[in-house]
Amino acid sequence: MDSVSAEIGSSAVPVTDTSCPVVNLEDEGSKSSESAGATETKNETVLVPGVESGTEKDPYAYLNRDEFSSERFKIEVNGLPKHYGFAELRKLLNDRLKVNAHKLIPPKKGCSWMFVNFKSEEERQQGIQKIEGHVWKGRTLTAKAAKAAEDPLVKKRMCDEVDKVKEGFIPNESIADSIRRVTTPWWNVPYEIQLERKMKLIKEIFGEMKTGILKAQSQLKNSSVLCNGIVEQIKPSPVTERYRNKCEFSIGYNPESKEKTVGFRLSSYKRGSTAVGPIDTVTHLPDCMVKSALKFQEFVRLQSKFDVYDPETHDGCFRQLTVRVTSNEDVMLMVLLSNKKITSQDFETLKQEMKTCFESENIIKSFYVKLLNDHGQPDKTPPELLFGSETITETLMGLKFEISPEAFFQVNLPATEVLYSAIGSFLEEQKNATLLDVCSGTGTIGLSLANKCSQVLGIEMVPSAVEDARKNAEINSLTEKCDFFAGKAEDITDPVIVRAKSQNIVAIVDPPRAGLHQKVLFTLRKCDKIQTLIYVACNAKAAMKNFIDLSRPSSNAFRGQPFIPIKLIPVDMFPNSPHVELIIVFTRLAHLLNETKVKENNDVKQ
């Protein structure tokens, strides 16, 4: 999602399924300011030749609305050095130059310019003054006011291609097929073929990883480590349909029937679409989830006076419906509403209407509602319980877990047990290890593997998640063996490790799709007591930099002995899609070389 769609019309909502810090990086820096549009200033109308200002064909109409957009106050910074890290650049602007930026838009690798957005014209001018002429890494920086970017939705409307691919459709494709293509693109591919494709993908990922590591660690080129034999065969999901226990549904308009619809977006705002298609033909959603979503759709269509949210104009109320279900078919709903046009009195009326409509539904055990700030920016305000229990309970690996509305929990329960069992099999080979669960969330991994190790120590930066983890430990009588601590991993890893009862410490991380935060990675590398690291990646390509950085030679930036992968175990958590979960077991280089030498000597003796 680019920076314009993030503020103009994205349907994105706060990320709640993450268990470690995430940096909000956007890709607007890939565009030149010359292609971004017309220059504008605060409260100044932007005119496009041949287009009446304020019409649906005006790609700058959003700048004239009575709402905030940092695109009004953007600058272009030029003269960046050839080699630098984005963290270095952020530190330069924020800490050294004290530039009060609202948004830093990372440039592409090797790009000599970038965009920076501000909250006001005054702050933009101050930013230009502070950056202009500053010498950094031997290069003199320049700064100037930049042109605002075009609204991608309007730009798409004006494109000739809009007639060929209208609102995310393929010509002559039915809505049902469009939804299946968007949500489960391999829905019509035999499962055996899906697994073959995923194994091919994993082997390609291993090849890329191996190339990067050998480039950094030349001493390994002639050794037997990093051989193809460390990649295990993919473990299939026990179920391939109706497996998903959580889904976030958009609320919008069906492009054919024009009816209010609770379902999936057919494409993205950036690609020119706000259309939402129905969910009753997909195969990865449980029946009770579909039934609950359709019940809410009926409420929005027939019983509520409020409209659905328009991601272009930001008018309307209903934005998103999150549905969680358990294996016992208990349902939790969370409705996300825009707070732009709804008054306090209307909000209370709407809550009462939803309570009256849904409280009698036996399968709905919990119903939450949450107001979102304009543009759907993350809001720390917790959702409000409208009725029912605060949590729903699920059974995993023989343990019970209470799940709150914004907690992370794996979406495919049977495949999760396969995933955790694979990790547990490795832990059984260790001798009374202490498991350090980094970014532990609500404690799911650590508690599920507690019987495979002597102790579990969890680290999580979200205090409410730590409370949930401790509660789950108490429910399962594991408080003596498992403990969880609130704080950033880079700050509290060392003092937490002091509590380890075993000298054999195995760390496990299960980060978001983008990978492990760099500061956390540095902390794990320099902690010598950690000899083994288990990395669970839901998007191995996105996390490739993590894998290479873990393996880099020791330096001032990368302290501690490098980690080298010794085992890759793919698990299919997402049938009918190209996604695959990957367990990567890393060990310290010195330990690996020593083991390899011992094995080679034993082979010679035999």
Side-chain angles (χ1 to χ4, degrees), residues 187-295:
W187 65 274
N188 58 350
V189 178
Y191 191 53
E192 295 75 13
I193 304 299
Q194 293 184 35
L195 295 179
E196 290 176 7
R197 290 181 179 179
K198 293 186 180 188
M199 273 307 299
K200 182 180 179 181
L201 174 64
I202 293 300
K203 289 177 180 178
E204 291 173 355
I205 288 170
F206 174 65
E208 183 180 348
M209 184 192 310
K210 181 178 179 179
T211 299
I213 293 173
L214 292 181
K215 185 177 180 181
Q217 296 284 358
S218 57
Q219 59 179 310
L220 298 178
K221 288 184 177 179
N222 297 321
S223 70
S224 59
V225 302
L226 294 177
C227 62
N228 293 333
I230 70 174
V231 182
E232 295 191 0
Q233 190 64 27
I234 188 169
K235 296 183 181 296
S237 172
V239 293
T240 59
E241 295 185 350
R242 316 295 179 194
Y243 62 82
R244 195 170 180 93
N245 58 38
K246 178 195 172 186
C247 210
E248 296 172 347
F249 300 109
S250 297
I251 306 175
Y253 284 96
N254 184 309
E256 289 187 345
S257 68
K258 309 303 179 185
E259 290 183 297
K260 298 174 183 178
T261 300
V262 175
F264 295 111
R265 290 279 291 272
L266 294 170
S267 186
S268 66
Y269 188 97
K270 183 177 180 181
R271 294 179 179 177
S273 173
T274 61
V276 174
I279 63 174
D280 49 5
T281 61
V282 296
T283 59
H284 66 311
L285 304 182
D287 291 337
C288 60
M289 177 182 287
V290 174
K291 179 181 177 181
S292 300
L294 293 180
K295 176 68 176 177

Side-chain angles (χ1 to χ4, degrees), residues 461-479:
M461 70 173 297
V462 181
S464 60
V466 174
E467 292 177 10
D468 289 343
R470 290 172 177 169
K471 186 187 301 182
N472 286 326
E474 185 177 353
I475 291 171
N476 293 286
S477 302
L478 289 170
T479 52

Side-chain angles (χ1 to χ4, degrees), residues 47 94 162 193 419 433 497 603:
L47 299 179
N94 291 343
V162 75
I193 304 299
L419 179 79
I497 281 183
D603 291 343

Side-chain angles (χ1 to χ4, degrees), residues 63-177:
L63 296 172
N64 304 318
R65 296 179 190 140
D66 186 21
E67 54 191 35
F68 172 77
S69 173
S70 64
E71 281 294 309
R72 289 191 177 101
F73 316 112
K74 182 164 68 175
I75 71 171
E76 181 180 329
V77 178
N78 278 283
L80 297 175
K82 187 174 182 180
H83 301 290
Y84 64 90
F86 185 67
E88 289 182 282
L89 180 58
R90 185 171 52 221
K91 187 174 182 180
L92 168 72
L93 296 175
N94 291 343
D95 300 342
R96 194 184 308 172
L97 297 181
K98 306 295 183 183
V99 173
N100 190 22
H102 174 66
K103 183 188 302 179
L104 305 181
I105 306 174
K108 280 189 173 181
K109 186 176 181 180
C111 189
S112 63
W113 53 268
M114 69 173 294
F115 289 128
V116 181
N117 289 12
F118 295 86
K119 292 183 179 180
S120 68
E121 180 62 27
E122 181 182 1
E123 291 183 350
R124 173 162 74 168
Q125 293 303 324
Q126 291 174 354
I128 291 175
Q129 293 174 9
K130 291 177 180 179
I131 296 171
E132 180 70 30
H134 182 81
V135 179
W136 185 49
K137 293 182 178 288
R139 297 288 298 272
T140 301
L141 304 181
T142 62
K144 63 180 180 180
K147 299 175 181 179
E150 296 171 303
D151 183 331
L153 181 65
V154 179
K155 184 178 180 181
K156 185 68 177 177
R157 286 198 191 114
M158 300 172 68
C159 177
D160 291 337
E161 290 298 316
V162 75
D163 292 328
K164 298 179 181 178
V165 184
K166 185 178 180 181
E167 295 215 329
F169 288 109
I170 290 176
N172 302 319
E173 183 181 50
S174 68
I175 288 184
D177 284 346

Side-chain angles (χ1 to χ4, degrees), residues 556-569:
N556 289 335
F558 297 93
R559 299 178 182 178
Q561 278 288 313
F563 283 102
I564 304 297
I566 59 172
K567 186 179 294 187
L568 281 74
I569 310 171

